[in-house]
Amino acid sequence: MSIRRAVGEGRVEIAPQDKIINHRQQVERILHDIGFPEALVTDGSRSSDFPLEDTDYARLTREYGFEVGRHDRMAAVAERLAGLRC
């Protein structure tokens, strides 16, 4: 059974995604960069929800120009990425 179907039938409720939606482009970039381009993320999703290694966090930190840690919320990382755009 798919999650979409379960949601549609009211058997599963998705946590809020307001912050994720506000920074959709950055979230998509992050998911692509960590190798999970089709993952479901919510405002409460954290980096530690994904099987990432210390080398992954170091690479993201280098690429993004700010510290990306194991306990960071994906929405917060996306917001910081959005703020770097000039």
Side-chain angles (χ1 to χ4, degrees):
M1 165 117 6
S2 77
I3 288 181
R4 285 188 184 148
R5 185 172 172 191
V7 169
E9 293 172 355
R11 296 183 296 118
V12 174
E13 183 176 334
I14 303 295
Q17 294 180 297
D18 301 326
K19 294 176 183 177
I20 294 296
I21 290 167
N22 288 339
H23 300 293
R24 188 81 220 148
Q25 185 177 15
Q26 290 78 21
V27 170
E28 288 175 2
R29 176 182 173 187
I30 295 165
L31 292 175
H32 177 268
D33 290 348
I34 65 172
F36 292 90
E38 299 199 16
L40 170 67
V41 293
T42 68
D43 292 348
S45 296
R46 294 184 181 274
S47 301
S48 60
D49 293 339
F50 298 88
L52 303 177
E53 302 290 330
D54 289 340
T55 55
D56 296 313
Y57 293 109
R59 177 179 51 82
L60 294 173
T61 294
R62 275 192 318 276
E63 287 180 18
Y64 298 166
F66 58 85
E67 180 87 25
V68 178
R70 187 172 308 281
H71 300 290
D72 289 343
R73 292 195 189 276
M74 300 296 278
V77 175
E79 186 174 18
R80 286 197 69 188
L81 273 176
L84 294 176
R85 299 182 93 186
C86 298

